[in-house]
Amino acid sequence: DTAVSQTPKYLVTQMGNDKSIKCEQNLGHDTMYWYKQDSKKFLKIMFSYNNKELIINETVPNRFSPKSPDKAHLNLHINSLELGDSAVYFCASSPDSVNTEAFFGQGTRLTVV
Amino acid sequence: SQQGEEDPQALSIQEGENATMNCSYKTSINNLQWYRQNSGRGLVHLILIRSNEREKHSGRLRVTLDTSKKSSSLLITASRAADTASYFCATVSNSGYALNFGKGTSLLVTP
C-alpha cells in the first residue's frame, strides 16, 4: 500500500483556472506538508499542518489554500493559476515534527499553459 | 530560509567507485537528514544523524557530521548504476515543522 499518495500525478491546465491536488497518508502521522520543487530541483516548504492545524505558511500567495479535512488528508487548492506556478508539488508526512524522517508522495507535475 | 547547501552540484563516476557529497548549513540543528530522489519520483529518506553523533552507517552509506564546521558528508561506497539519483541534505526549521533542503547533488553512476 502506498504510504503517501497524491493525485493527480500530472496536471496540465490553462492560466486562470482553479485546480486541486489531493494527498492522503495511511501512516497515522500527525503532520503533513506541501513542498514545491522548481525546475532547478530546489525544494521549498509551502505549508505544514499538525493535527489538522496550520503550523507553517511560508509566504505562499493566498491563491494557494490548503485544506485538511482530517489528519490523513491535506489537499492543495490553487486559484487563478499562473505560469510561474508550474512546478512539481510534493506532499509529505511525518509522525509529529520532522525530528524523524518524512515520507514523500510521488509528486504532482503541474504545467500551466 | 534555505539551510543546506550541497556540493558538488553534479557528480559523475563509474560503478564500483565511491561517491562523496557534502552539505553545509547555517544555523544550529537537532539533526540532519539525507534524502534521495530518483528522476520523476518522490524523495526517499536515507539516513538521519543527530547533532550529538559524528558518524553513522547504513549499508553502503556513511554519513558524517561536524557541527563545529556546520557540515555533513554522505559517502556511498562501491556505487552502482541504481544509485543514480539526486541527493539532498535537509535540516529542521526553527519551528520543528518543516525541512529545509539544499539544492542537491545530482549523481550519475555509469556502468
Side-chain angles (χ1 to χ4, degrees):
Chain A
D1 283 346
T2 305
V4 181
S5 61
Q6 52 183 110
T7 55
K9 188 170 182 181
Y10 299 98
L11 184 54
V12 181
T13 187
Q14 289 188 325
M15 280 175 58
N17 284 351
D18 303 338
K19 290 292 178 186
S20 292
I21 307 172
K22 295 185 177 181
C23 179
E24 175 182 5
Q25 54 96 3
N26 62 4
L27 299 166
H29 288 169
D30 286 342
T31 308
M32 295 186 72
Y33 315 84
W34 278 105
Y35 285 85
K36 178 180 179 180
Q37 187 172 44
D38 63 22
S39 59
K40 296 183 179 178
K41 293 193 174 179
F42 178 52
L43 276 150
K44 185 173 169 59
I45 182 71
M46 298 175 69
F47 300 103
S48 172
Y49 267 72
N50 181 261
N51 274 316
K52 301 195 307 174
E53 288 193 20
L54 179 65
I55 303 295
I56 291 175
N57 177 345
E58 282 286 317
T59 60
V60 177
N62 57 15
R63 296 183 296 103
F64 291 78
S65 53
K67 297 272 192 304
S68 184
D70 56 59
K71 214 171 70 165
H73 295 83
L74 181 63
N75 304 323
L76 184 64
H77 189 76
I78 316 170
N79 289 330
S80 303
L81 278 154
E82 300 177 357
L83 293 177
D85 297 331
S86 295
V88 182
Y89 292 84
F90 286 98
C91 177
S93 73
S94 64
D96 42 38
S97 70
V98 278
N99 283 309
T100 54
E101 66 181 284
F103 292 78
F104 282 77
Q106 293 297 295
T108 296
R109 181 174 293 277
L110 171 66
T111 304
V112 183
V113 298
Chain B
S1 61
Q2 181 182 341
Q3 288 275 343
E5 292 277 354
E6 292 92 338
D7 78 87
Q9 286 191 346
L11 181 59
S12 183
I13 59 175
Q14 291 196 315
E15 269 192 326
E17 294 181 337
N18 296 342
T20 300
M21 289 158 265
N22 302 299
C23 168
S24 60
Y25 57 93
K26 295 176 183 174
T27 63
S28 61
I29 58 170
N30 288 328
N31 67 69
L32 185 142
Q33 303 179 33
W34 285 90
Y35 287 80
R36 183 186 75 227
Q37 183 180 29
N38 289 79
S39 179
R41 307 297 296 273
L43 280 82
V44 174
H45 182 267
L46 294 176
I47 199 163
L48 180 153
I49 185 165
R50 302 195 186 282
S51 60
N52 62 353
E53 297 176 308
R54 292 296 167 259
E55 189 170 310
K56 202 162 182 180
H57 296 255
S58 176
R60 293 183 297 112
L61 305 180
R62 174 180 161 240
V63 168
T64 63
L65 179 64
D66 186 335
T67 52
S68 66
K69 295 181 180 178
K70 292 188 168 58
S71 67
S72 174
S73 68
L74 170 67
L75 168 67
I76 304 174
T77 59
S79 63
R80 305 166 181 167
D83 295 328
T84 294
S86 292
Y87 292 82
F88 296 88
C89 70
T91 57
V92 180
S93 69
N94 290 338
S95 71
Y97 284 101
L99 286 170
N100 293 320
F101 286 90
K103 293 180 181 176
T105 292
S106 180
L107 174 65
L108 174 64
V109 182
T110 53

